[in-house]
Amino acid sequence: MYQPLWLTFKLALVTTVCLVVIGIPIAAGLARSKSKLKSVAEAVISLPLVLPPSVLGFYLLLAFSPQNGFGKMLNDAFSLRLIFSFTGLVLGSVIYSLPFMVHPVQAGLEALPSSLKEASQTLGKSNLTTFFKVLLPNIKPAILTGLILSFAHTLGEFGLVLMIGGNIPGVTRVASIAVYDEVEALNFSTAHVYAGILLAISFVILLIVYTTNRHIFKNRITQ
C-alpha cells in the first residue's frame, strides 16, 4: 500500500536535488547570455511544458533503449540499463521537470539590478563568490518556487513514468501508476487513498510556496 507512495517521494526528492545541481547553473547561464541561440535553448528546455508526457516518454524510451544510441552506449560501457529502472525514471524526471527549476531562477536573476554584481566586484569578490553569496541569496523566493514546483511536478508524473518505467512493484510503480491500476481493477477505495494523499500534499506544497513568498516580499518592503 505505502510502497508506491514512498517510491514517489523518493523519486521527487532525488529529482529535485539533481535539478538544483543542474538547473541553477543553466538558469544562470541563460540569464547572463546574450547569444542569438538563447531563444533556441529556452525553447528546448521549455518543451516539456507543451509536449504530452507520453510523447516525451516515447522518445526517451527510444533513447534509453539498449538497442539504440545512448542507451546502447551506457549498456555496453557501464552495463547500465535505463529503461524499466529507477535510474531511468530519475533521468527522465529531471528532463521532464527541468523548466520548473530553470524558469523561476532565470527570471529571478534577470530581475536583479546590475548594481548588485558591480558593487560586489568593486569590493574585490570573484564571480563565483558574487554568484553564491550575493546573487543567489537575493532570489530566495525564485529558488524556493523552483524547488517546490519541481518536487510537486514530479509527484504527478504518469505518462512519462509509464513509458520508460513501466509498472514494476518496488522499482517503478509510483503513486500515479498505482492510482491507474486501482481504478482499472475497480478498487476505488484504494485509488481514493492514493489520489487523496497526492492531492493533499500538492495543495500543502503550493500553499507553502505562496505563503512563504508573500512573507519574504512583506519583509523586504518593511526593511
Side-chain angles (χ1 to χ4, degrees):
M1 174 66 189
Y2 295 104
Q3 193 175 62
L5 292 170
W6 158 243
L7 193 61
T8 299
F9 297 137
K10 180 182 175 183
L11 175 63
L13 181 60
V14 174
T15 298
T16 303
V17 171
C18 292
L19 284 171
V20 170
V21 176
I22 297 169
I24 291 180
I26 292 175
L30 289 174
R32 68 170 179 264
S33 174
K34 292 183 172 127
S35 169
K36 294 179 180 179
L37 297 177
K38 178 179 178 179
S39 296
V40 176
E42 289 174 328
V44 171
I45 291 171
S46 300
L47 274 176
L49 296 175
V50 295
L51 270 180
S54 56
V55 173
L56 180 60
F58 170 68
Y59 284 115
L60 289 178
L61 177 64
L62 294 180
F64 292 170
S65 172
Q67 281 76 43
N68 296 319
F70 180 64
K72 188 175 188 305
M73 178 194 72
L74 290 178
N75 189 56
D76 293 344
F78 307 104
S79 298
L80 179 60
R81 188 183 180 93
L82 293 179
I83 58 172
F84 309 125
S85 71
F86 184 77
T87 303
L89 285 189
V90 170
L91 184 53
S93 298
V94 167
I95 296 171
Y96 182 55
S97 296
L98 185 61
F100 290 87
M101 175 61 73
V102 170
H103 289 333
V105 176
Q106 180 187 350
L109 289 171
E110 289 177 341
L112 290 177
S114 58
S115 57
L116 275 177
K117 183 177 181 181
E118 292 167 359
S120 178
Q121 291 175 336
T122 300
L123 294 173
K125 304 297 182 183
S126 67
N127 287 335
L128 199 59
T129 301
T130 298
F131 180 69
F132 282 105
K133 293 191 175 180
V134 178
L135 301 184
L136 288 187
N138 277 281
I139 60 164
K140 287 179 182 177
I143 295 174
L144 177 64
T145 299
L147 285 171
I148 300 299
L149 290 182
S150 297
F151 186 89
H153 191 240
T154 306
L155 287 180
E157 290 181 23
F158 177 76
L160 180 136
V161 169
L162 187 62
M163 292 295 286
I164 65 177
N167 187 5
I168 305 173
V171 180
T172 62
R173 187 175 185 258
V174 296
S176 58
I177 302 294
V179 171
Y180 178 81
D181 283 346
E182 299 301 336
V183 171
E184 194 174 42
L186 301 180
N187 296 326
F188 295 119
S189 58
T190 306
H192 271 305
V193 174
Y194 285 127
I197 291 174
L198 290 178
L199 177 62
I201 291 173
S202 299
F203 176 76
V204 170
I205 285 174
L206 292 175
L207 185 62
I208 290 173
V209 170
Y210 289 120
T211 302
T212 305
N213 282 350
R214 188 174 293 109
H215 179 69
I216 293 174
F217 181 72
K218 284 181 179 179
N219 285 344
R220 285 186 175 179
I221 292 176
T222 55
Q223 287 176 354

